[in-house]
Amino acid sequence: MLGARLAAERRTRPEQLTYLGIAAWLLDETPQAVDTFDLALDAVHAGTTLPNGLGGAAAWAYLERGRWDQAREVGARIITTAKAAGLDHAVACATAVDAMVLALRGDVLGARAQAARAIALVDPLESRSVFVYVRRALAAAASAEGDHETAYHQLRTAFTEDDGPLHYHASYAALADLAAAAARSGHRQEAAEIVETAAQDLGEGVSSRLRALLHRARGLLAEPESAEPHFRAALDDPFTEHWPFERSQASLDLAEWLRRRRRVAEARAPLAEALETFRRLGAEPWAERARTESRAAGVDLGTPTSEALADLSPQQQEIIRLAARGLTNREIGERLFISPAPWALISTAASPVWGSPRDRSSGPSSKAPDPRRAGGIHVPASSRPTDTACRRAGPRLLDPTATEVLGTWAQPPWDGPGSGS
């Protein structure tokens, strides 16, 4: 019934699919959001005006789902269309997503340039979501370089002085990364207060995704002897596989904790899971960290990438590795979250390397979202930082290459009731 209704909306009112996708994304029903955005974007013809907000929701949903190349492609399409329509907020959201993907893949200069472009398009006093997205991207760039102090201060600005969220949705997704940066930069106590305030605000009806992020954050900030139950809880729910990068971060955290407790054999499985995901996503800074841990755990990572694979993208290389292990097209597609159209392009590019030992024409099929899962978010009554919090952040939080564009407002904004999105 729902499928028939979606198909009808796709033909007649694709904008309704956009609204449904946004609602699903806000509720952390990311698989359903991505499926809905797929239908909506297929139905929108070139030059058609897109609703304001689509850039943030659609592109972030693809990023969270592990479809990073598609997040960038959709973002570029949204930017082109939204620019023509004068929708600066949509352009800024999509550009911030691009900055995040670049940061996660280790292109820190490109990430910072895109972050500066994104924030220059909006008034941060009114666009708190864009402000938080940009801070998260700049924090990821800092983390990729191992600068955890800067990463922490970037993420700290996503929360108010009284530890509330600056934005009711975008801030909460930064909790685990805030804790990771805090644990590596000496800010455990402050970060722990933010995490516990968030847990109290979110309550018992928190989504599976946010519950996992809270557990990961608590594990990172806990005393070493108390951390394991939180790391395990962050990985217990199989539904979190729909957020592959976040889950792999938790797997790597657990593996590091286990190895430091001399439980090396137990560390190898989560290490392998994390490394495989980081490698297929192209998250090279995190993949290198996982490789370092793997070597310390005595894992033989084999020989470096052969010359035949050197010119292929990380995703193409991972397709070849999985094919060599005997996985079918459908299995590879499900493992890498590739939809049929991108699969055709990638497999064509990779075919000179792997050849055609057997028929792989079936293509991948996406898994249906779990209808049993439901989640939501609590919107606090107030999320306004104080003047002290703004002054404390200061312009040092931004990369020097961005300050010329960002100007004097390089501090977290505060706003009156009802301002911004």
Side-chain angles (χ1 to χ4, degrees):
M1 178 67 71
L2 179 59
R5 288 182 60 187
L6 289 177
E9 294 285 0
R10 176 184 179 184
R11 293 190 299 269
T12 60
R13 301 178 66 187
E15 71 279 3
Q16 295 299 318
L17 290 174
T18 295
Y19 304 142
L20 178 59
I22 292 172
W25 175 67
L26 287 171
L27 294 171
D28 281 334
E29 292 289 350
T30 303
Q32 181 177 341
V34 166
D35 290 344
T36 306
F37 286 134
D38 282 342
L39 292 173
L41 290 168
D42 285 346
V44 175
H45 300 292
T48 302
T49 299
L50 299 176
N52 197 0
L54 178 61
W60 274 107
Y62 286 118
L63 187 155
E64 292 167 2
R65 188 69 180 88
R67 291 161 61 169
W68 290 2
D69 290 333
Q70 192 167 3
R72 299 194 71 192
E73 292 166 6
V74 168
R77 181 177 175 185
I78 289 167
I79 289 170
T80 299
T81 307
K83 276 184 178 179
L87 300 176
D88 287 345
H89 187 272
V91 176
C93 286
T95 304
V97 173
D98 199 56
M100 177 62 88
V101 175
L102 291 172
L104 294 177
R105 286 182 166 169
D107 183 357
V108 296
L109 294 180
R112 288 168 179 148
Q114 285 293 75
R117 293 186 185 101
I119 206 64
L121 290 167
V122 297
D123 180 352
L125 301 178
E126 298 182 356
S127 297
R128 289 173 291 164
S129 59
V130 174
F131 181 88
V132 174
Y133 295 149
V134 166
R135 294 296 180 173
R136 287 169 58 187
L138 292 172
S143 294
E145 294 180 316
D147 185 356
H148 303 297
E149 180 73 22
T150 296
Y152 176 77
H153 285 294
Q154 292 285 3
L155 292 168
R156 179 64 183 87
T157 63
F159 299 88
T160 66
E161 186 179 57
D162 60 358
D163 300 337
L166 188 65
H167 185 267
Y168 68 89
H169 182 261
S171 293
Y172 286 130
L175 283 168
D177 289 336
L178 174 81
R184 294 171 172 84
S185 61
H187 298 282
R188 286 177 180 268
Q189 183 58 43
E190 184 180 41
E193 292 172 2
I194 295 172
V195 169
E196 294 310 314
T197 297
Q200 184 176 357
D201 288 343
L202 290 166
E204 295 297 324
V206 66
S207 67
S208 296
R209 179 204 183 189
L210 287 179
R211 185 179 299 109
L213 291 177
L214 284 169
H215 277 300
R216 180 187 172 223
R218 284 168 165 163
L220 288 162
L221 299 172
E223 293 298 325
E225 62 273 12
S226 305
E228 183 175 12
H230 293 297
F231 288 140
R232 298 285 186 189
L235 296 166
D236 276 349
D237 191 342
F239 193 61
T240 60
E241 293 177 359
H242 293 301
W243 295 268
F245 182 73
E246 293 174 359
R247 182 177 175 87
S248 293
Q249 287 178 297
S251 293
L252 181 56
D253 292 334
L254 172 62
E256 289 175 337
W257 184 90
L258 289 169
R259 191 182 69 78
R260 282 153 180 75
R261 309 277 90 70
R262 301 185 182 277
R263 294 161 63 180
V264 176
E266 294 178 68
R268 289 171 182 165
L271 268 175
E273 177 185 339
L275 178 56
E276 181 179 349
T277 300
F278 293 146
R279 190 166 55 188
R280 76 168 180 254
L281 291 174
E284 183 54 32
W286 281 262
E288 181 56 35
R289 183 175 141 202
R291 281 192 286 267
T292 299
E293 279 294 319
S294 296
R295 296 186 189 100
V299 177
D300 181 6
L301 298 177
T303 58
T305 303
S306 68
E307 184 177 349
L309 300 181
D311 293 333
L312 300 181
S313 71
Q315 189 179 58
Q316 290 169 336
Q317 293 179 24
E318 190 62 20
I319 288 173
I320 294 171
R321 292 187 183 98
L322 294 175
R325 288 165 49 185
L327 274 69
T328 66
N329 257 17
R330 184 176 300 278
E331 291 167 342
I332 293 172
E334 291 177 349
R335 181 75 64 88
L336 302 187
F337 312 108
I338 304 174
S339 59
W343 168 264
L345 296 176
I346 294 168
S347 60
T348 298
S351 61
V353 178
W354 74 18
S356 300
R358 60 193 178 101
D359 181 18
R360 295 184 177 272
S361 61
S362 60
S365 65
S366 59
K367 293 183 179 180
D370 188 342
R372 299 171 297 172
R373 297 291 178 186
I377 55 175
H378 170 74
V379 182
S382 172
S383 59
R384 298 189 294 275
T386 66
D387 293 356
T388 303
C390 296
R391 288 193 297 270
R392 181 174 62 184
R396 67 187 174 83
L397 301 186
L398 291 161
D399 182 74
T401 61
T403 54
E404 182 178 352
V405 177
L406 296 167
T408 59
W409 64 264
Q411 304 174 21
W414 64 95
D415 44 271
S419 65
S421 63

